[in-house]
Amino acid sequence: MAKLKLDDLKKIKDRVRQENALREGGAKAKVTVHMGTCGIASGARVVMEALMDEVSLTDRRDILVTTSGCIGLCSQEPIVTVELFDQEPIRYSFVDKNKMRQIFRRHVLEGEVQEEFVLARGTEHQD
Amino acid sequence: MEEISLHILDVAENALGAGARRIGIRLEIDEKNDRLRLELTDDGRGMTPEVLRQAADPFFTTRTTRRIGLGLPLLKQAAEQSGGSFSLESSPGRGTAVKAEFGLSHWDRPPLGDMASTLLTLIVGRPEVDFVYRQVTGAGEFELDSGEIKQVLEGVSLSDPEVVLFLEKNVREATAGLAGV
């Protein structure tokens, strides 16, 4: 049975661990794409794809990309939450791939909240 | 829900909501018997017989945020409208198995869609969970175990830019044969 060839991944691991040893650890930013049925049907996977692509274009190793379930605001999906270290979470609604790229470049990388897309500020809740 | 791969993502998210730590996804393209088979298994908390009985009812949900749950009913409908079938096995503490079979060449079967994107979303977005994906086609079998990937990475984040690039390239290559299904 065919499987992934993991040799290249071992090289990446060695390089990343070497670099990380030189800097302070811990994630500085966490970006969550909400993936309930409502989010998925509204395009959350395309948003996640754009987010992963943006991450792969950077050299930032302190950004955590994650997904979570429905938060009960189905009519506002796709929803993305950005949490920067020491700042309150910002929740964005009706995100598409272009908005995701803008939010990533301006908010996650530069710290500038994209007010026109903001749904709410505050802590994460899901069910 | 326009693609089968989106249904897969959705059912996997259900499993994550049930506290699963290991999720199996098996996809089989059986051209000889004109069937597309899908099976998702998880080690989550499982369902009681009463919940199981109502799980494919769109007006039933265990959530409290709202009172409808469309994920499984939509998958059931998509499978049955293409001449296939849908079944659910579950018991408390023993996880859940969702099986769906589609008529491969049926007009009303949704396209499989971007399977690589679904796998990447799950593996990168839920690093705490092991995903075991098995793909069976006429061209052969392929297996991807995200637990093995994490073992190799020894704590390096799955969100690391180089790791994301590696996964993107390799998962897309491995699933390239599914294009057009």
Side-chain angles (χ1 to χ4, degrees):
Chain A
M1 182 182 308
K3 293 187 119 184
L4 277 196
K5 293 183 181 71
L6 298 175
D7 292 350
D8 289 344
L9 197 60
K10 281 179 191 153
K11 288 179 201 157
I12 293 171
K13 182 256 302 180
D14 291 340
R15 193 160 56 235
V16 173
R17 292 192 113 192
Q18 219 166 21
E19 285 181 25
N20 279 355
L22 301 173
R23 65 179 88 182
E24 269 182 67
K28 299 283 191 297
K30 180 177 166 191
V31 187
T32 304
V33 182
H34 297 273
M35 287 277 171
T37 303
C38 45
I40 293 168
S42 310
R45 193 183 66 182
V46 173
V47 171
M48 179 72 174
E49 253 178 76
L51 173 60
M52 288 190 289
D53 188 49
E54 285 297 323
V55 168
S56 71
L57 294 173
T58 71
D59 57 359
R60 291 278 301 269
R61 303 198 187 280
D62 55 356
I63 298 169
L64 192 63
V65 171
T66 181
T67 62
S68 77
C70 174
I71 51 170
L73 298 166
C74 308
S75 63
Q76 306 289 315
E77 297 281 0
I79 295 173
V80 169
T81 304
V82 174
E83 295 167 84
L84 299 188
F85 183 70
D86 250 5
Q87 292 179 28
E88 65 177 348
I90 304 292
R91 189 167 287 159
Y92 293 102
S93 62
F94 300 120
V95 181
D96 59 21
K97 62 181 177 185
N98 291 331
K99 287 179 183 172
M100 185 69 253
R101 289 183 189 279
Q102 180 176 329
I103 290 164
F104 185 83
R105 291 179 193 187
R106 301 228 180 122
H107 184 181
V108 179
L109 297 183
E110 307 290 339
E112 180 192 332
V113 175
Q114 297 304 289
E115 298 290 350
E116 66 267 44
F117 311 143
V118 170
L119 170 68
R121 297 165 183 267
T123 48
E124 193 79 347
H125 166 76
Q126 70 176 83
D127 178 46
Chain B
M1 209 67 85
E2 291 169 358
E3 300 175 0
I4 293 174
S5 59
L6 288 175
H7 284 289
I8 294 172
L9 181 56
D10 187 38
V11 175
E13 288 290 333
N14 287 348
L16 293 162
R21 281 292 168 267
R22 194 170 176 83
I23 297 175
I25 302 169
R26 184 179 188 279
L27 175 69
E28 182 184 1
I29 311 294
D30 180 357
E31 293 191 42
K32 197 174 146 203
N33 294 300
D34 195 30
R35 280 285 180 262
L36 184 156
R37 294 189 191 92
L38 175 64
E39 187 175 346
L40 279 104
T41 51
D42 72 63
D43 62 355
R45 71 179 74 95
M47 294 180 243
T48 62
E50 196 187 352
V51 172
L52 181 63
R53 191 168 47 78
Q54 299 175 86
D57 174 352
F59 298 104
F60 175 79
T61 182
T62 53
R63 300 180 318 164
T64 54
T65 47
R66 58 182 164 82
R67 297 180 62 191
I68 53 173
L70 295 176
L72 290 176
L74 287 173
L75 173 61
K76 182 173 187 282
Q77 184 193 25
E80 290 176 351
Q81 77 183 11
S82 71
S85 60
F86 171 88
S87 71
L88 204 49
E89 288 168 30
S90 186
S91 56
R94 303 184 76 172
T96 298
V98 178
K99 291 182 191 173
E101 203 170 284
F102 298 78
L104 185 60
S105 63
H106 199 288
W107 283 107
D108 291 325
R109 177 180 65 78
L112 175 63
D114 195 345
M115 195 58 213
S117 181
T118 283
L119 291 170
L120 291 163
T121 294
L122 290 169
I123 293 168
V124 174
R126 296 292 190 144
E128 72 281 16
V129 177
D130 291 344
F131 295 95
V132 183
Y133 169 68
R134 182 172 282 200
Q135 171 184 299
V136 183
T137 67
E141 294 190 24
F142 168 74
E143 188 181 85
L144 183 160
D145 184 341
S146 71
E148 288 177 3
I149 292 170
K150 285 183 284 183
Q151 252 178 2
V152 170
L153 286 173
E154 291 180 24
V156 168
S157 168
L158 283 161
S159 301
D160 183 273
E162 282 193 66
V163 175
V164 171
L165 268 180
F166 170 89
L167 291 172
E168 171 92 26
K169 177 177 175 287
N170 286 279
V171 173
R172 290 223 173 267
E173 267 176 21
T175 56
L178 298 173
V181 172

